[in-house]
Amino acid sequence: MVFKPFTHIARQSLGKSLAHGYAQSVVAATQSSYASSTTPFGSFSTHAAGRFSRHGSSQHHTSFQHPSTTSGATASGGQQGLVPEDSRGDGGLAAYYEAWQKQQCNNGSGKEWKQFQFPLQIGWEAPNTLADSKRADNAHGRLLSDTLLDRGSLDRAHSTSAVDDIREAEDVVAEAAAVREVDEAIAKEIIMFQNRPTSLHTSPAPEVSAIDTSAEHQSSGVTTAIFTATPPQSVDTTNSSQGSLPPTTLESLTPADEIVQLRVAGRIAEIPAVFESMLARGFQPTMEAYNALLSAAIALPAARHQIISKALNIYADVLRRQITPDTAFYTSLLELLSQRAIEVRQMKNAMNVKRFRYGNLNPEFSFLLPSDESDYAILAADDALKHAVTIFNAAASAPQVQPLSSEAYGLLITACALHGRDDDMLRIHICMEENQVVPLASMYPPMIEAFARSGDLRCAVECYNGYKSMAIQHDAGQDSLMGRYDYSVYAAVVKSYMKCDRSESGNQFVERVLNSFDSGTEEGRARLEVARDTIIADGLVQHQLDNHQYAGALNLADAYDLTPSTRDRVIAHICSEAADHNDRATAIKAYRALEPTSPDMSMVALSMLAMEIRCGRLDEACTFWSVLYGLPNGHGSLLEPTAMYTVALIKNGQIDEGLTHARQAFARIRSSVHAAAAREQLKEKIDEAIELIGKSLAGPETFLSPQAAMTLLGAMTENNGPVSPVSEKLLAGLGAADISTLSWQDVLLVLKVEGAMISGGTFLQDVGHVTRFEYLLNAVVQRGLTLDEVTSELVERALRSLEDQRPDIVANWRNARHMASQSPHTPMLGSPGLNVAMTTPATYANTYDPYAARVDHRGSNVIADILDSVRTRRSAKLDQALSQFRNMRRVGRHPRYLVYSKLINVAALEGRADVIFDILGTARQDVPLLPQYPSLREGWSSILDSMIAACLTVGNRAAASEFHKDLVQLGSVPSANTYALYITTLGESAHTLDEAQEALNIFAQAKQEGVEPTSFLYNALIGKLGKARRIEDCNFFFSEMRHRGIRPTSVTYGTVINALCRVSDEKEAEQLFNEMENMPNYKPRAAPYNSVMQYFQTTKRDGQKVLEYYSRMQSKNIQPTMHTYKLLIDTYATLEPINMPAAEGVLNAIRATGQRPEAVHYASLIHAKGCVHHDMTGAWDTFNAAAANPEIRPHACLYQALFESMVANHQLEAVEGMLGNMASRGVAMTPYIANTLIHGWANDQNIVKAQNLYQSIGTAKREPSTYEAMIRALLAVHDRPHAGEVVNEMLSRGYPAPVTKRIQAIFDHGGSRAANVAAAGSAA
């Protein structure tokens, strides 16, 4: 047998492991005398599910007895000592057990032995419809107090979350009522049972009658107590794929055989009820029937802890009935318990991460939320593995039990390894070997790591050698392993070496393993990549993380050539671990190395946010909050960060901002969950978060504005309703003056909450509720508010409660409502559901602003002047304006609507997306939208228009679309300049490649919505059309612009001139240029001159014309741009007459203006020397000078010019070295560099390198020129099939027709001409 080298070690530990007594106890339990007299059947109820279940019963619930059985036994049999079903729930088995004990004690008394009479049972009939079954379960659910927990009676702080619904219920009154209801139902059942047939099959199975769900038949269809948590209708037993049993077959079978047949037919939902009926009729269950019952317990939908409890109950009853479990039973039970133990370990690890990340904010608990504390306690008390080992010992000691399955052994060994039970792990492995069971490959990595944790490197290596031997046999075709986990085993061995301080040996092992893969084949390279990724990520890096060496882990990730996806995953993991353990330097470094589009960005942002909050860096935390909030969908993992961030903002004095963030985030989190049960659990957790936030507001130094109080109260009502005592504290701070400042929505909200509290008797403890209620009623009357049906009902209930104490309030309200009903005038305000036109007050002018009293006009002017200043840097003036804005709001004032818009626009130009949404949130809090006021609609139209423009500017097109919808619902549309931004930002969207057509669609939409075009909108449209060389469309819209009376600007002329130059319309371009210079409102700009100069430099190759337009530019006193200087260098260095000193002198001219030459200027000189003059020495000198200049930032254009020079001079030997240099300096590969190298390698007949580089670019970054270069290269080596594949990929990208037709033509006319085309391209 393989894997023998370390089995002697296991045998040395065998005696030690057996000394714990697991084997002896369970083996004895399987023997009849021991099991009968000493085995406590309730011992399995010490499982976590039993310890945390409903109190009041120390006895173990039977696995399959009818709820009425015990009480029935008490009534009919008269047995002494029997406990009613509601407290014991053993279905009569305990009565039998006690009667048997009495018989044993009286053996010498001479009394005649009597058969114990089990109570008669009610026969079971299958429901014929799912609806009847559902109604029956609903009726019986109230009776199952010992198995079903009433969530409504549980304290919210102890409700379930990530773990199963296991909680203590403490409602003794409800328990007693349930017991009485059970007794009444049982008494009725006994009467019913006398008139019912005892045969299970009095009618054919397909025609069984439905269960009566009336009150007098409540308990007649309840399945066994162990299955009551899972309604039978949750499994569709009518599925056509399940087998059916003919009536004659059922009639001829014993009940035990019938249960087995139901399992074979797949009708598992019927098994518990049939099993119950079998016991009720006095039949002894067989082991096969128990196997079927266990299969049903595992397969029927239920919470995991409930399945474990059911399975242990079944096992306990098997032992109680002195039935010997068979191999199938042991296998199923051990697989279930082992899997549960593994899951518990994983859940505990996940909760430990939450404790490290968020726990320090709540001093009362180690976790942030109290429910997590109780969940973790339940997991810590879980004893599934203890039971699994005990049951395994019993199975191993039973001679009739055959070897277990590979899965059972593998899962149990894995669970022991993960939980640190090494002796049990070794003993179980020896048993598996002795029984010659094929091992499960997945168990070896945790086994190796378990040895390493205990410092036993020799056993870890022997374990690896054993796996290696079996893997070799498996490769040879032998059945020696189930599955393969080679790479994970390698990683585990590497971790073992490192754990045992044998790092040198570990590194040598890594090197040997990686060198063992043949990288000469495609398959070998693929396997090498997977092996390297797994060994480095799960071995070396994970070891560093386990030892809290986060910087070392990051260095390892950078040192190895990991695949991009693995690298992102590893760096994200390092970043999260470093952040959770407050290694801020490493966390920030890892975060910056992470790709922004990484799928792990949300996990990283959670860790970084929590770290910055723990370190007290709220400004940095705000950045990561923006990342989290910008994710497409909210999810439950945002709950703790939301609470943590909100509390931090509150402690920093930013109460309004914090509560606004919390309310919005809670809404997103709820919307991400659709399942009803999960949504209710999530709401309970949100209530806990709100309670935590409320505690942070309880300090005497905390000032809570009325608007902030309404924000938090609104968050409660949107969730589960007011949270006590937070809601009471919020309302206690509202006086008459505060109520007068509330919006009508907030007034109705507070009125609704106060009405509910007063009607519930709260006013007896706090008279402030009555006074506040009076203020609210006065506000409703004064504002003429109409109440919805729910609010009216709550108000009426509250008034009925106050009739004796405050009849004056009731009388005043009745009189006011009566007068309002007699008034012919329209109410001043309506409920939110009313039409705006109906609720607009006729007595107010359209200019009325309900918030005008709080507008700070002087402060608004100050902020506007700061933002309009041209002498201050944009970032500095934004910070200064925000400081003024916050000071204004601290004193309860707010700016004009235009100031909100300006702040949003400036923040967008700075790219500060977080500030944009913060300003919007404060606007919603300061001036909530009341659509019945035209002035508010106009103000909010400008704010939403600014939000659309801001989102487009920062690249958040999805958010812009949402704000666009909000603006249209408000009855307005975006401005022309915002539509122009829709067009100019098309290049940042990956959704379209035909930007010209999309620009036309946007322009048409703007005109359709009645937007009056501006010069900015026309400029944006003409620019996109010119870029696509659609000159006819450019001229059309240029003429339309003039026809509309919109005077073209210098930008318009420059845009059209640039378009004309693109299509080589020299005459028209020059005419338009002269017209531009002579127009009366001409503002000199460099862009039109650059366009014409570039046209004559690149297309016409006329240096004199270039210099002529440069002179005209100087005569207009236009300051040359950096692009102008580049054009001059290209002109002097590449056009006749060549003047290299003048070209190099341009660099000095740039310095003379106080500016610095850029990389693009050096790139022009490199290109000129290398490609035009074929002076590679000069090209290298210029490149090295630029690379050594600290003022020149490394740029792709420098490398591109150098590579072009290499290709032009057929000097490709140094390409690989320069590619490495480029990567080391952080310069990314571009499609244009790839085009150059693909062309060069194709000319050098090295198509493999060209293809590898093409593949490395990635589909998303390939441009039409990249496809063209690769197609030409493949055609040059006569590889038309692969060239066709490239063409098909290019066609699938959706490029404009002119582009695709040109590249398609290259392919269609390729073949024999390809080499000539490539040669001609090389010469060019």
Side-chain angles (χ1 to χ4, degrees), residues 765-843:
Q765 289 81 27
D766 183 4
V767 295
H769 287 289
V770 179
T771 304
R772 196 160 36 250
F773 187 64
E774 183 178 9
Y775 290 154
L776 291 167
L777 293 180
N778 291 336
V780 171
V781 173
Q782 292 170 5
R783 300 189 189 189
L785 301 180
T786 56
L787 306 183
D788 59 77
E789 184 177 350
V790 176
T791 309
S792 297
E793 176 62 24
L794 289 172
V795 169
E796 291 299 326
R797 287 184 189 175
L799 291 173
R800 286 195 293 270
S801 301
L802 295 175
E803 282 180 342
D804 296 333
Q805 288 82 2
R806 293 295 303 272
D808 56 316
I809 297 179
V810 179
N812 291 337
W813 173 254
R814 305 280 189 229
N815 294 334
R817 301 307 290 176
H818 177 71
M819 293 176 61
S821 63
Q822 300 299 321
S823 174
H825 300 292
T826 304
M828 187 170 65
L829 288 178
S831 62
L834 295 181
N835 186 278
V836 173
M838 295 174 58
T839 60
T840 301
T843 58

Side-chain angles (χ1 to χ4, degrees), residues 493-512:
V493 173
V494 171
K495 282 184 66 176
S496 300
Y497 276 118
M498 300 300 174
K499 186 75 174 177
C500 298
D501 297 326
R502 297 284 297 276
S503 58
E504 183 177 355
S505 299
N507 292 327
Q508 292 175 356
F509 179 80
V510 172
E511 186 177 354
R512 288 200 307 272

